[in-house]
Amino acid sequence: MSYDYQVIASVIAASRHMGTHSDEHLNESVNIQLTSSGKPTIARLNFDMPLQWPAHPNFVMVNLPDGS
């Protein structure tokens, strides 16, 4: 199933490595465009401005306005 969202969302960028404290940055009210398609599912996430990132990020979570 493919989808395309263009909304304002909260984005958490984090550096999570086993045995170390998680370093997270919350970016609130970010205008994003999230698209996906194909099998296996490939997603692309575009931001309209630079985000705050921790050192060596390896995790991104996007909270859409509908809670998903």
Side-chain angles (χ1 to χ4, degrees):
M1 170 186 264
S2 65
Y3 55 86
D4 187 1
Y5 289 103
Q6 188 163 357
V7 296
I8 294 178
S10 296
V11 178
I12 296 173
S15 178
R16 295 182 177 171
H17 300 278
M18 204 164 189
T20 63
H21 179 67
S22 178
D23 185 8
E24 298 182 351
H25 289 277
L26 173 62
N27 297 274
E28 294 188 72
S29 302
V30 177
N31 189 19
I32 66 163
Q33 182 176 7
L34 177 62
T35 57
S36 82
S37 62
K39 288 191 178 190
T41 301
I42 297 174
R44 181 180 176 117
L45 183 59
N46 292 319
F47 309 101
D48 69 342
M49 63 183 208
L51 299 180
Q52 295 274 334
W53 292 90
H56 311 293
N58 63 350
F59 179 84
V60 175
M61 181 169 57
V62 177
N63 297 317
L64 299 174
D66 66 1
S68 59

